[in-house]
Amino acid sequence: MNCTEVASRLQLFIDEELIFQDMESIRKHLQVCPDCEKRFQTEKLFKQTLKDKIMKRNIESHVVDGVKDFIHNSSN
Amino acid sequence: MKQELDKTEKDAIFEKEFLPHIDSLYNFAIFLENNEEIAKDLLQETYLRAYKFINYYEKGTNAKAWLIRILKNTFINEYRRRSKLPVQIDFEETYQQADEDEAGEGTTQNVDLRQEIYNNLVGDEITKAVNALPVDYRLIILLCDVEGFKYDEIAKIIDVPIGTVRSRLHRARNMLKEKLKDYAAKRGYTINETQA
Ligand SMILES: [Zn+2]
C-alpha cells in the first residue's frame, strides 16, 4: 500500500475494522514510513484522549433506586 | 424473536444483565439531553421499556447495545414530540445527504491537529466540544470512541448501514477536531502540523 491508500484507510485501521490482510499491509507500511506513522500516532492519540478525558459521571444510588421503584410501580 | 418469561425470570435478567449498565446509560442520557434532570427521566423511561419488552431480549447477548438502542429511540420520540416535528420526517434524514457525500472514496480529507494539542486538552473542553456536535454525531462518537462498539454493532444500534457509520464517524471526528482546534487557539497553541 502507498501513502494515499494508507491515509484513506487510517480511520478503519485505528478502529480495527479492516480485514486481516489490510491491517497487516498498513502495519508494514507504518514501520517504514515516518510520515504515515506520525499521522497514525496522532489519530490514535485523538481517539484515546476522547475515551480517557471525556466527562463521566457516576450515577448516584438514589437514581438507581428511583429507576427500580419506577419499574416496580409501573409493572404492577 | 419473542420468548415467554415469567416474572422471576424477567426480574433476574433485569437485575443481572440490565442494571449493571445503568452507569453507561446514564452518561449517554446526559450527553443526549444536555440536562441532568431530563436525562434521569430518559433513563427511567428506557429501563421501563426494556422491562416491558424484555421478552424480545435474547438472554446473554449484548444487553448494553440493546439498552442503548432503546435509549436512543426513546430519546428520538421525545425529541420529536418536544420539537413538534411531524412524525413522518425521519430523524436521520437531516444528515443523510452529508453522509452520502462522504460515503465514497473521498474520505481522506482529514483535519490534522498536533499531538501537543490533544495532550493539553482538559476533560471539560472535550466534553463541551462533544456536546456541541449535532446529536447524531455526538451519538456515534460516544458509541465508537468512548464505548468501543464495533461498526456492525453501531449500525444495529442506530439503524443505519455500516457505510453510513463509517462516513458519519469520519465527519463527526472532523467536526470535533475543528471545535477542539478553536479551544486550543483560544489558549494560544499553534494548531496545524504545517505550522509546527
Ligand atoms: Zn506513508
PDB file of all heavy atoms in Angstrom, chain A residues 8 11-12 15-17 38 41-43 46-47 53 55-57 59 68 71, chain B residues 23 27 36 108 113 118-119 121 123 127 145 150-151 166 170 173 177 193:
ATOM      1  N   SER A   8      -6.294   6.837   3.374  1.00  0.00           N
ATOM      2  CA  SER A   8      -7.741   6.661   3.205  1.00  0.00           C
ATOM      3  C   SER A   8      -8.290   5.529   4.083  1.00  0.00           C
ATOM      4  O   SER A   8      -9.496   5.409   4.255  1.00  0.00           O
ATOM      5  CB  SER A   8      -8.080   6.404   1.735  1.00  0.00           C
ATOM      6  OG  SER A   8      -7.614   5.134   1.354  1.00  0.00           O
ATOM      7  N   GLN A  11      -8.593   5.613   9.430  1.00  0.00           N
ATOM      8  CA  GLN A  11      -9.673   5.551  10.409  1.00  0.00           C
ATOM      9  C   GLN A  11     -10.097   4.097  10.664  1.00  0.00           C
ATOM     10  O   GLN A  11     -10.251   3.668  11.805  1.00  0.00           O
ATOM     11  CB  GLN A  11     -10.882   6.351   9.915  1.00  0.00           C
ATOM     12  CG  GLN A  11     -12.120   6.182  10.804  1.00  0.00           C
ATOM     13  CD  GLN A  11     -13.356   6.898  10.268  1.00  0.00           C
ATOM     14  OE1 GLN A  11     -13.375   8.102  10.148  1.00  0.00           O
ATOM     15  NE2 GLN A  11     -14.393   6.136   9.956  1.00  0.00           N
ATOM     16  N   LEU A  12     -10.241   3.339   9.569  1.00  0.00           N
ATOM     17  CA  LEU A  12     -10.657   1.944   9.699  1.00  0.00           C
ATOM     18  C   LEU A  12      -9.569   1.114  10.381  1.00  0.00           C
ATOM     19  O   LEU A  12      -9.855   0.194  11.134  1.00  0.00           O
ATOM     20  CB  LEU A  12     -10.966   1.361   8.310  1.00  0.00           C
ATOM     21  CG  LEU A  12     -12.111   2.043   7.565  1.00  0.00           C
ATOM     22  CD1 LEU A  12     -12.204   1.518   6.140  1.00  0.00           C
ATOM     23  CD2 LEU A  12     -13.427   1.807   8.280  1.00  0.00           C
ATOM     24  N   ASP A  15      -9.734   1.901  14.118  1.00  0.00           N
ATOM     25  CA  ASP A  15     -10.921   1.270  14.705  1.00  0.00           C
ATOM     26  C   ASP A  15     -10.899  -0.254  14.555  1.00  0.00           C
ATOM     27  O   ASP A  15     -11.851  -0.928  14.954  1.00  0.00           O
ATOM     28  CB  ASP A  15     -12.198   1.831  14.056  1.00  0.00           C
ATOM     29  CG  ASP A  15     -12.386   3.316  14.358  1.00  0.00           C
ATOM     30  OD1 ASP A  15     -11.851   3.775  15.387  1.00  0.00           O
ATOM     31  OD2 ASP A  15     -13.063   4.009  13.570  1.00  0.00           O
ATOM     32  N   GLU A  16      -9.829  -0.769  13.958  1.00  0.00           N
ATOM     33  CA  GLU A  16      -9.676  -2.218  13.714  1.00  0.00           C
ATOM     34  C   GLU A  16     -10.859  -2.797  12.944  1.00  0.00           C
ATOM     35  O   GLU A  16     -11.436  -3.815  13.327  1.00  0.00           O
ATOM     36  CB  GLU A  16      -9.444  -2.958  15.032  1.00  0.00           C
ATOM     37  CG  GLU A  16      -8.101  -2.590  15.641  1.00  0.00           C
ATOM     38  CD  GLU A  16      -7.885  -3.162  17.028  1.00  0.00           C
ATOM     39  OE1 GLU A  16      -8.530  -4.160  17.383  1.00  0.00           O
ATOM     40  OE2 GLU A  16      -7.065  -2.577  17.761  1.00  0.00           O
ATOM     41  N   GLU A  17     -11.203  -2.119  11.871  1.00  0.00           N
ATOM     42  CA  GLU A  17     -12.352  -2.535  11.066  1.00  0.00           C
ATOM     43  C   GLU A  17     -11.940  -3.028   9.676  1.00  0.00           C
ATOM     44  O   GLU A  17     -12.788  -3.184   8.801  1.00  0.00           O
ATOM     45  CB  GLU A  17     -13.338  -1.366  10.913  1.00  0.00           C
ATOM     46  CG  GLU A  17     -14.020  -0.948  12.218  1.00  0.00           C
ATOM     47  CD  GLU A  17     -15.135  -1.888  12.652  1.00  0.00           C
ATOM     48  OE1 GLU A  17     -15.562  -2.750  11.852  1.00  0.00           O
ATOM     49  OE2 GLU A  17     -15.574  -1.777  13.810  1.00  0.00           O
ATOM     50  N   LYS A  38       3.491   8.931  11.944  1.00  0.00           N
ATOM     51  CA  LYS A  38       3.176  10.090  12.783  1.00  0.00           C
ATOM     52  C   LYS A  38       1.679  10.409  12.735  1.00  0.00           C
ATOM     53  O   LYS A  38       1.043  10.677  13.756  1.00  0.00           O
ATOM     54  CB  LYS A  38       3.983  11.316  12.322  1.00  0.00           C
ATOM     55  CG  LYS A  38       3.840  12.445  13.322  1.00  0.00           C
ATOM     56  CD  LYS A  38       4.740  13.614  13.026  1.00  0.00           C
ATOM     57  CE  LYS A  38       4.566  14.651  14.151  1.00  0.00           C
ATOM     58  NZ  LYS A  38       4.990  15.974  13.715  1.00  0.00           N
ATOM     59  N   GLN A  41      -0.095   7.884  14.826  1.00  0.00           N
ATOM     60  CA  GLN A  41       0.043   8.139  16.266  1.00  0.00           C
ATOM     61  C   GLN A  41      -0.864   9.286  16.712  1.00  0.00           C
ATOM     62  O   GLN A  41      -1.466   9.233  17.788  1.00  0.00           O
ATOM     63  CB  GLN A  41       1.504   8.467  16.619  1.00  0.00           C
ATOM     64  CG  GLN A  41       2.468   7.281  16.512  1.00  0.00           C
ATOM     65  CD  GLN A  41       2.121   6.125  17.449  1.00  0.00           C
ATOM     66  OE1 GLN A  41       1.352   6.275  18.404  1.00  0.00           O
ATOM     67  NE2 GLN A  41       2.675   4.942  17.160  1.00  0.00           N
ATOM     68  N   THR A  42      -0.960  10.309  15.862  1.00  0.00           N
ATOM     69  CA  THR A  42      -1.789  11.471  16.206  1.00  0.00           C
ATOM     70  C   THR A  42      -3.267  11.085  16.252  1.00  0.00           C
ATOM     71  O   THR A  42      -3.992  11.444  17.185  1.00  0.00           O
ATOM     72  CB  THR A  42      -1.578  12.603  15.180  1.00  0.00           C
ATOM     73  OG1 THR A  42      -0.176  12.831  15.046  1.00  0.00           O
ATOM     74  CG2 THR A  42      -2.244  13.890  15.631  1.00  0.00           C
ATOM     75  N   GLU A  43      -3.715  10.324  15.251  1.00  0.00           N
ATOM     76  CA  GLU A  43      -5.125   9.908  15.207  1.00  0.00           C
ATOM     77  C   GLU A  43      -5.458   8.979  16.369  1.00  0.00           C
ATOM     78  O   GLU A  43      -6.537   9.041  16.952  1.00  0.00           O
ATOM     79  CB  GLU A  43      -5.438   9.202  13.889  1.00  0.00           C
ATOM     80  CG  GLU A  43      -5.499  10.136  12.680  1.00  0.00           C
ATOM     81  CD  GLU A  43      -6.453  11.292  12.887  1.00  0.00           C
ATOM     82  OE1 GLU A  43      -7.629  11.055  13.205  1.00  0.00           O
ATOM     83  OE2 GLU A  43      -6.017  12.456  12.734  1.00  0.00           O
ATOM     84  N   PHE A  46      -5.856  11.011  19.431  1.00  0.00           N
ATOM     85  CA  PHE A  46      -7.161  11.687  19.418  1.00  0.00           C
ATOM     86  C   PHE A  46      -8.230  10.761  20.000  1.00  0.00           C
ATOM     87  O   PHE A  46      -8.977  11.122  20.909  1.00  0.00           O
ATOM     88  CB  PHE A  46      -7.504  12.101  17.984  1.00  0.00           C
ATOM     89  CG  PHE A  46      -8.901  12.633  17.800  1.00  0.00           C
ATOM     90  CD1 PHE A  46      -9.329  13.775  18.465  1.00  0.00           C
ATOM     91  CD2 PHE A  46      -9.788  12.001  16.936  1.00  0.00           C
ATOM     92  CE1 PHE A  46     -10.620  14.266  18.281  1.00  0.00           C
ATOM     93  CE2 PHE A  46     -11.072  12.485  16.748  1.00  0.00           C
ATOM     94  CZ  PHE A  46     -11.483  13.615  17.427  1.00  0.00           C
ATOM     95  N   LYS A  47      -8.287   9.546  19.485  1.00  0.00           N
ATOM     96  CA  LYS A  47      -9.276   8.565  19.949  1.00  0.00           C
ATOM     97  C   LYS A  47      -9.091   8.253  21.432  1.00  0.00           C
ATOM     98  O   LYS A  47     -10.047   8.229  22.201  1.00  0.00           O
ATOM     99  CB  LYS A  47      -9.143   7.291  19.103  1.00  0.00           C
ATOM    100  CG  LYS A  47     -10.273   6.286  19.286  1.00  0.00           C
ATOM    101  CD  LYS A  47     -10.089   5.091  18.361  1.00  0.00           C
ATOM    102  CE  LYS A  47     -10.946   3.921  18.766  1.00  0.00           C
ATOM    103  NZ  LYS A  47     -12.312   3.970  18.216  1.00  0.00           N
ATOM    104  N   LYS A  53     -10.510  11.285  28.563  1.00  0.00           N
ATOM    105  CA  LYS A  53     -10.769  12.573  29.217  1.00  0.00           C
ATOM    106  C   LYS A  53     -12.217  13.025  29.237  1.00  0.00           C
ATOM    107  O   LYS A  53     -12.562  13.971  29.933  1.00  0.00           O
ATOM    108  CB  LYS A  53      -9.915  13.661  28.551  1.00  0.00           C
ATOM    109  CG  LYS A  53      -8.418  13.494  28.791  1.00  0.00           C
ATOM    110  CD  LYS A  53      -7.666  14.736  28.339  1.00  0.00           C
ATOM    111  CE  LYS A  53      -6.166  14.575  28.469  1.00  0.00           C
ATOM    112  NZ  LYS A  53      -5.449  15.721  27.858  1.00  0.00           N
ATOM    113  N   MET A  55     -15.948  13.579  30.156  1.00  0.00           N
ATOM    114  CA  MET A  55     -16.545  13.550  31.483  1.00  0.00           C
ATOM    115  C   MET A  55     -17.462  12.332  31.674  1.00  0.00           C
ATOM    116  O   MET A  55     -18.321  12.058  30.854  1.00  0.00           O
ATOM    117  CB  MET A  55     -17.356  14.818  31.698  1.00  0.00           C
ATOM    118  CG  MET A  55     -18.011  14.896  33.049  1.00  0.00           C
ATOM    119  SD  MET A  55     -19.546  15.822  32.950  1.00  0.00           S
ATOM    120  CE  MET A  55     -20.595  14.716  32.014  1.00  0.00           C
ATOM    121  N   LYS A  56     -17.231  11.615  32.753  1.00  0.00           N
ATOM    122  CA  LYS A  56     -18.130  10.503  33.074  1.00  0.00           C
ATOM    123  C   LYS A  56     -18.633  10.694  34.484  1.00  0.00           C
ATOM    124  O   LYS A  56     -17.861  10.865  35.404  1.00  0.00           O
ATOM    125  CB  LYS A  56     -17.404   9.175  32.949  1.00  0.00           C
ATOM    126  CG  LYS A  56     -17.320   8.716  31.522  1.00  0.00           C
ATOM    127  CD  LYS A  56     -16.802   7.295  31.422  1.00  0.00           C
ATOM    128  CE  LYS A  56     -16.567   6.937  29.959  1.00  0.00           C
ATOM    129  NZ  LYS A  56     -15.392   6.091  29.781  1.00  0.00           N
ATOM    130  N   ARG A  57     -19.915  10.682  34.621  1.00  0.00           N
ATOM    131  CA  ARG A  57     -20.488  10.841  35.954  1.00  0.00           C
ATOM    132  C   ARG A  57     -20.852   9.487  36.536  1.00  0.00           C
ATOM    133  O   ARG A  57     -21.364   8.630  35.839  1.00  0.00           O
ATOM    134  CB  ARG A  57     -21.740  11.705  35.875  1.00  0.00           C
ATOM    135  CG  ARG A  57     -21.402  13.168  36.125  1.00  0.00           C
ATOM    136  CD  ARG A  57     -22.625  13.987  36.028  1.00  0.00           C
ATOM    137  NE  ARG A  57     -22.531  14.769  34.802  1.00  0.00           N
ATOM    138  CZ  ARG A  57     -23.161  15.916  34.650  1.00  0.00           C
ATOM    139  NH1 ARG A  57     -23.944  16.375  35.592  1.00  0.00           N
ATOM    140  NH2 ARG A  57     -23.031  16.595  33.539  1.00  0.00           N
ATOM    141  N   ILE A  59     -23.309   7.370  38.623  1.00  0.00           N
ATOM    142  CA  ILE A  59     -24.721   7.519  38.959  1.00  0.00           C
ATOM    143  C   ILE A  59     -24.884   7.425  40.483  1.00  0.00           C
ATOM    144  O   ILE A  59     -24.244   6.606  41.137  1.00  0.00           O
ATOM    145  CB  ILE A  59     -25.557   6.456  38.208  1.00  0.00           C
ATOM    146  CG1 ILE A  59     -27.034   6.812  38.255  1.00  0.00           C
ATOM    147  CG2 ILE A  59     -25.299   5.053  38.728  1.00  0.00           C
ATOM    148  CD1 ILE A  59     -27.860   6.040  37.236  1.00  0.00           C
ATOM    149  N   LYS A  68     -35.524   1.623  39.841  1.00  0.00           N
ATOM    150  CA  LYS A  68     -36.095   0.345  40.308  1.00  0.00           C
ATOM    151  C   LYS A  68     -37.532   0.533  40.806  1.00  0.00           C
ATOM    152  O   LYS A  68     -38.421  -0.247  40.458  1.00  0.00           O
ATOM    153  CB  LYS A  68     -35.240  -0.222  41.444  1.00  0.00           C
ATOM    154  CG  LYS A  68     -33.931  -0.841  40.978  1.00  0.00           C
ATOM    155  CD  LYS A  68     -33.240  -1.486  42.175  1.00  0.00           C
ATOM    156  CE  LYS A  68     -31.832  -1.939  41.858  1.00  0.00           C
ATOM    157  NZ  LYS A  68     -31.088  -2.309  43.079  1.00  0.00           N
ATOM    158  N   ILE A  71     -40.004   1.145  37.950  1.00  0.00           N
ATOM    159  CA  ILE A  71     -40.352  -0.068  37.229  1.00  0.00           C
ATOM    160  C   ILE A  71     -41.262  -0.947  38.071  1.00  0.00           C
ATOM    161  O   ILE A  71     -42.249  -1.501  37.572  1.00  0.00           O
ATOM    162  CB  ILE A  71     -39.095  -0.806  36.780  1.00  0.00           C
ATOM    163  CG1 ILE A  71     -38.581  -0.101  35.526  1.00  0.00           C
ATOM    164  CG2 ILE A  71     -39.365  -2.268  36.432  1.00  0.00           C
ATOM    165  CD1 ILE A  71     -37.150   0.064  35.453  1.00  0.00           C
TER     166      ILE A  71
ATOM    167  N   ASP B  23     -24.855   2.861  34.683  1.00  0.00           N
ATOM    168  CA  ASP B  23     -23.894   3.966  34.688  1.00  0.00           C
ATOM    169  C   ASP B  23     -23.647   4.499  33.270  1.00  0.00           C
ATOM    170  O   ASP B  23     -23.706   5.704  33.026  1.00  0.00           O
ATOM    171  CB  ASP B  23     -22.554   3.480  35.264  1.00  0.00           C
ATOM    172  CG  ASP B  23     -22.242   4.155  36.579  1.00  0.00           C
ATOM    173  OD1 ASP B  23     -22.338   5.389  36.628  1.00  0.00           O
ATOM    174  OD2 ASP B  23     -21.910   3.446  37.549  1.00  0.00           O
ATOM    175  N   ASN B  27     -24.812   8.143  31.546  1.00  0.00           N
ATOM    176  CA  ASN B  27     -23.909   9.077  30.866  1.00  0.00           C
ATOM    177  C   ASN B  27     -24.356   9.359  29.435  1.00  0.00           C
ATOM    178  O   ASN B  27     -24.277  10.484  28.956  1.00  0.00           O
ATOM    179  CB  ASN B  27     -22.469   8.546  30.897  1.00  0.00           C
ATOM    180  CG  ASN B  27     -21.772   8.898  32.191  1.00  0.00           C
ATOM    181  OD1 ASN B  27     -21.440  10.049  32.430  1.00  0.00           O
ATOM    182  ND2 ASN B  27     -21.594   7.922  33.056  1.00  0.00           N
ATOM    183  N   GLU B  36     -29.323  17.186  33.229  1.00  0.00           N
ATOM    184  CA  GLU B  36     -29.320  16.037  34.130  1.00  0.00           C
ATOM    185  C   GLU B  36     -30.711  15.555  34.534  1.00  0.00           C
ATOM    186  O   GLU B  36     -30.958  14.362  34.621  1.00  0.00           O
ATOM    187  CB  GLU B  36     -28.504  16.360  35.379  1.00  0.00           C
ATOM    188  CG  GLU B  36     -27.239  15.529  35.465  1.00  0.00           C
ATOM    189  CD  GLU B  36     -26.424  15.887  36.680  1.00  0.00           C
ATOM    190  OE1 GLU B  36     -25.721  16.917  36.637  1.00  0.00           O
ATOM    191  OE2 GLU B  36     -26.521  15.148  37.667  1.00  0.00           O
ATOM    192  N   THR B 108     -10.630  10.830   2.557  1.00  0.00           N
ATOM    193  CA  THR B 108      -9.251  11.019   3.007  1.00  0.00           C
ATOM    194  C   THR B 108      -9.032  12.410   3.597  1.00  0.00           C
ATOM    195  O   THR B 108      -8.015  12.665   4.216  1.00  0.00           O
ATOM    196  CB  THR B 108      -8.257  10.835   1.841  1.00  0.00           C
ATOM    197  OG1 THR B 108      -8.703  11.634   0.760  1.00  0.00           O
ATOM    198  CG2 THR B 108      -8.186   9.385   1.425  1.00  0.00           C
ATOM    199  N   LEU B 113      -4.506  17.896  13.629  1.00  0.00           N
ATOM    200  CA  LEU B 113      -4.038  18.735  14.734  1.00  0.00           C
ATOM    201  C   LEU B 113      -2.742  18.142  15.273  1.00  0.00           C
ATOM    202  O   LEU B 113      -2.462  16.970  15.082  1.00  0.00           O
ATOM    203  CB  LEU B 113      -5.084  18.790  15.858  1.00  0.00           C
ATOM    204  CG  LEU B 113      -6.466  19.331  15.533  1.00  0.00           C
ATOM    205  CD1 LEU B 113      -7.276  19.463  16.820  1.00  0.00           C
ATOM    206  CD2 LEU B 113      -6.381  20.679  14.857  1.00  0.00           C
ATOM    207  N   TYR B 118      -3.736  17.617  21.757  1.00  0.00           N
ATOM    208  CA  TYR B 118      -4.519  16.594  22.450  1.00  0.00           C
ATOM    209  C   TYR B 118      -4.024  16.396  23.881  1.00  0.00           C
ATOM    210  O   TYR B 118      -4.800  16.214  24.807  1.00  0.00           O
ATOM    211  CB  TYR B 118      -4.479  15.273  21.681  1.00  0.00           C
ATOM    212  CG  TYR B 118      -5.093  15.382  20.307  1.00  0.00           C
ATOM    213  CD1 TYR B 118      -4.415  14.952  19.173  1.00  0.00           C
ATOM    214  CD2 TYR B 118      -6.359  15.936  20.149  1.00  0.00           C
ATOM    215  CE1 TYR B 118      -4.972  15.057  17.914  1.00  0.00           C
ATOM    216  CE2 TYR B 118      -6.930  16.045  18.897  1.00  0.00           C
ATOM    217  CZ  TYR B 118      -6.228  15.606  17.779  1.00  0.00           C
ATOM    218  OH  TYR B 118      -6.788  15.718  16.540  1.00  0.00           O
ATOM    219  N   ASN B 119      -2.702  16.423  24.019  1.00  0.00           N
ATOM    220  CA  ASN B 119      -2.139  16.215  25.353  1.00  0.00           C
ATOM    221  C   ASN B 119      -2.523  17.321  26.322  1.00  0.00           C
ATOM    222  O   ASN B 119      -2.609  17.101  27.527  1.00  0.00           O
ATOM    223  CB  ASN B 119      -0.617  16.099  25.276  1.00  0.00           C
ATOM    224  CG  ASN B 119      -0.201  14.772  24.660  1.00  0.00           C
ATOM    225  OD1 ASN B 119      -0.870  13.763  24.846  1.00  0.00           O
ATOM    226  ND2 ASN B 119       0.891  14.780  23.907  1.00  0.00           N
ATOM    227  N   LEU B 121      -5.363  19.207  26.134  1.00  0.00           N
ATOM    228  CA  LEU B 121      -6.800  19.418  26.312  1.00  0.00           C
ATOM    229  C   LEU B 121      -7.254  18.883  27.663  1.00  0.00           C
ATOM    230  O   LEU B 121      -6.772  17.850  28.127  1.00  0.00           O
ATOM    231  CB  LEU B 121      -7.575  18.679  25.217  1.00  0.00           C
ATOM    232  CG  LEU B 121      -7.648  19.349  23.858  1.00  0.00           C
ATOM    233  CD1 LEU B 121      -8.085  18.337  22.815  1.00  0.00           C
ATOM    234  CD2 LEU B 121      -8.599  20.533  23.885  1.00  0.00           C
ATOM    235  N   GLY B 123     -10.526  17.627  30.224  1.00  0.00           N
ATOM    236  CA  GLY B 123     -11.785  16.910  30.066  1.00  0.00           C
ATOM    237  C   GLY B 123     -12.974  17.808  29.787  1.00  0.00           C
ATOM    238  O   GLY B 123     -13.849  17.483  28.995  1.00  0.00           O
ATOM    239  N   THR B 127     -15.495  17.488  26.675  1.00  0.00           N
ATOM    240  CA  THR B 127     -16.914  17.267  26.934  1.00  0.00           C
ATOM    241  C   THR B 127     -17.771  18.341  26.273  1.00  0.00           C
ATOM    242  O   THR B 127     -18.784  18.044  25.634  1.00  0.00           O
ATOM    243  CB  THR B 127     -17.158  17.250  28.460  1.00  0.00           C
ATOM    244  OG1 THR B 127     -16.268  16.291  29.047  1.00  0.00           O
ATOM    245  CG2 THR B 127     -18.581  16.868  28.789  1.00  0.00           C
ATOM    246  N   ASP B 145     -15.924   5.779  20.027  1.00  0.00           N
ATOM    247  CA  ASP B 145     -14.677   6.161  20.695  1.00  0.00           C
ATOM    248  C   ASP B 145     -14.732   6.032  22.213  1.00  0.00           C
ATOM    249  O   ASP B 145     -13.727   5.750  22.841  1.00  0.00           O
ATOM    250  CB  ASP B 145     -14.297   7.594  20.307  1.00  0.00           C
ATOM    251  CG  ASP B 145     -13.947   7.684  18.826  1.00  0.00           C
ATOM    252  OD1 ASP B 145     -13.418   6.694  18.297  1.00  0.00           O
ATOM    253  OD2 ASP B 145     -14.219   8.725  18.206  1.00  0.00           O
ATOM    254  N   LYS B 150     -18.073  -1.917  17.888  1.00  0.00           N
ATOM    255  CA  LYS B 150     -17.631  -2.125  16.512  1.00  0.00           C
ATOM    256  C   LYS B 150     -18.672  -1.527  15.556  1.00  0.00           C
ATOM    257  O   LYS B 150     -19.827  -1.333  15.931  1.00  0.00           O
ATOM    258  CB  LYS B 150     -17.460  -3.630  16.211  1.00  0.00           C
ATOM    259  CG  LYS B 150     -16.524  -4.360  17.142  1.00  0.00           C
ATOM    260  CD  LYS B 150     -15.123  -3.759  17.176  1.00  0.00           C
ATOM    261  CE  LYS B 150     -14.307  -4.071  15.913  1.00  0.00           C
ATOM    262  NZ  LYS B 150     -12.964  -3.439  15.980  1.00  0.00           N
ATOM    263  N   TYR B 151     -18.250  -1.282  14.309  1.00  0.00           N
ATOM    264  CA  TYR B 151     -19.151  -0.640  13.339  1.00  0.00           C
ATOM    265  C   TYR B 151     -20.460  -1.421  13.149  1.00  0.00           C
ATOM    266  O   TYR B 151     -21.529  -0.832  13.030  1.00  0.00           O
ATOM    267  CB  TYR B 151     -18.470  -0.478  11.975  1.00  0.00           C
ATOM    268  CG  TYR B 151     -17.350   0.531  11.916  1.00  0.00           C
ATOM    269  CD1 TYR B 151     -16.892   1.204  13.054  1.00  0.00           C
ATOM    270  CD2 TYR B 151     -16.737   0.832  10.696  1.00  0.00           C
ATOM    271  CE1 TYR B 151     -15.853   2.123  12.985  1.00  0.00           C
ATOM    272  CE2 TYR B 151     -15.706   1.757  10.618  1.00  0.00           C
ATOM    273  CZ  TYR B 151     -15.262   2.400  11.758  1.00  0.00           C
ATOM    274  OH  TYR B 151     -14.242   3.303  11.670  1.00  0.00           O
ATOM    275  N   ARG B 166     -19.471   4.500   8.971  1.00  0.00           N
ATOM    276  CA  ARG B 166     -18.115   4.879   8.593  1.00  0.00           C
ATOM    277  C   ARG B 166     -18.021   6.360   8.217  1.00  0.00           C
ATOM    278  O   ARG B 166     -17.190   7.091   8.729  1.00  0.00           O
ATOM    279  CB  ARG B 166     -17.702   4.006   7.409  1.00  0.00           C
ATOM    280  CG  ARG B 166     -16.220   3.927   7.187  1.00  0.00           C
ATOM    281  CD  ARG B 166     -15.932   3.116   5.951  1.00  0.00           C
ATOM    282  NE  ARG B 166     -16.477   1.753   6.045  1.00  0.00           N
ATOM    283  CZ  ARG B 166     -16.883   1.025   4.998  1.00  0.00           C
ATOM    284  NH1 ARG B 166     -16.838   1.528   3.779  1.00  0.00           N
ATOM    285  NH2 ARG B 166     -17.357  -0.182   5.178  1.00  0.00           N
ATOM    286  N   HIS B 170     -16.441   9.576  10.440  1.00  0.00           N
ATOM    287  CA  HIS B 170     -15.374  10.385   9.866  1.00  0.00           C
ATOM    288  C   HIS B 170     -15.708  11.872   9.952  1.00  0.00           C
ATOM    289  O   HIS B 170     -14.904  12.705  10.357  1.00  0.00           O
ATOM    290  CB  HIS B 170     -15.163   9.962   8.410  1.00  0.00           C
ATOM    291  CG  HIS B 170     -14.060  10.699   7.726  1.00  0.00           C
ATOM    292  ND1 HIS B 170     -14.292  11.663   6.777  1.00  0.00           N
ATOM    293  CD2 HIS B 170     -12.716  10.635   7.878  1.00  0.00           C
ATOM    294  CE1 HIS B 170     -13.125  12.145   6.370  1.00  0.00           C
ATOM    295  NE2 HIS B 170     -12.157  11.544   7.005  1.00  0.00           N
ATOM    296  N   ARG B 173     -15.757  13.117  13.649  1.00  0.00           N
ATOM    297  CA  ARG B 173     -14.412  13.343  14.196  1.00  0.00           C
ATOM    298  C   ARG B 173     -13.818  14.631  13.655  1.00  0.00           C
ATOM    299  O   ARG B 173     -13.170  15.385  14.398  1.00  0.00           O
ATOM    300  CB  ARG B 173     -13.506  12.160  13.863  1.00  0.00           C
ATOM    301  CG  ARG B 173     -13.777  10.949  14.740  1.00  0.00           C
ATOM    302  CD  ARG B 173     -12.969   9.761  14.285  1.00  0.00           C
ATOM    303  NE  ARG B 173     -13.153   8.614  15.174  1.00  0.00           N
ATOM    304  CZ  ARG B 173     -12.901   7.367  14.809  1.00  0.00           C
ATOM    305  NH1 ARG B 173     -12.486   7.105  13.585  1.00  0.00           N
ATOM    306  NH2 ARG B 173     -13.075   6.386  15.673  1.00  0.00           N
ATOM    307  N   LYS B 177     -12.711  17.810  15.866  1.00  0.00           N
ATOM    308  CA  LYS B 177     -11.356  18.376  15.812  1.00  0.00           C
ATOM    309  C   LYS B 177     -11.400  19.873  15.552  1.00  0.00           C
ATOM    310  O   LYS B 177     -10.619  20.631  16.132  1.00  0.00           O
ATOM    311  CB  LYS B 177     -10.538  17.676  14.727  1.00  0.00           C
ATOM    312  CG  LYS B 177     -10.089  16.284  15.110  1.00  0.00           C
ATOM    313  CD  LYS B 177      -9.262  15.702  13.976  1.00  0.00           C
ATOM    314  CE  LYS B 177      -9.250  14.191  14.025  1.00  0.00           C
ATOM    315  NZ  LYS B 177      -8.737  13.634  12.761  1.00  0.00           N
ATOM    316  N   GLU B 193      -0.176  20.968  11.877  1.00  0.00           N
ATOM    317  CA  GLU B 193       1.116  20.312  11.704  1.00  0.00           C
ATOM    318  C   GLU B 193       2.090  21.196  10.933  1.00  0.00           C
ATOM    319  O   GLU B 193       3.253  21.296  11.271  1.00  0.00           O
ATOM    320  CB  GLU B 193       0.930  18.998  10.927  1.00  0.00           C
ATOM    321  CG  GLU B 193       0.268  17.895  11.716  1.00  0.00           C
ATOM    322  CD  GLU B 193       1.142  17.365  12.846  1.00  0.00           C
ATOM    323  OE1 GLU B 193       2.350  17.662  12.840  1.00  0.00           O
ATOM    324  OE2 GLU B 193       0.601  16.709  13.740  1.00  0.00           O
TER     325      GLU B 193
END
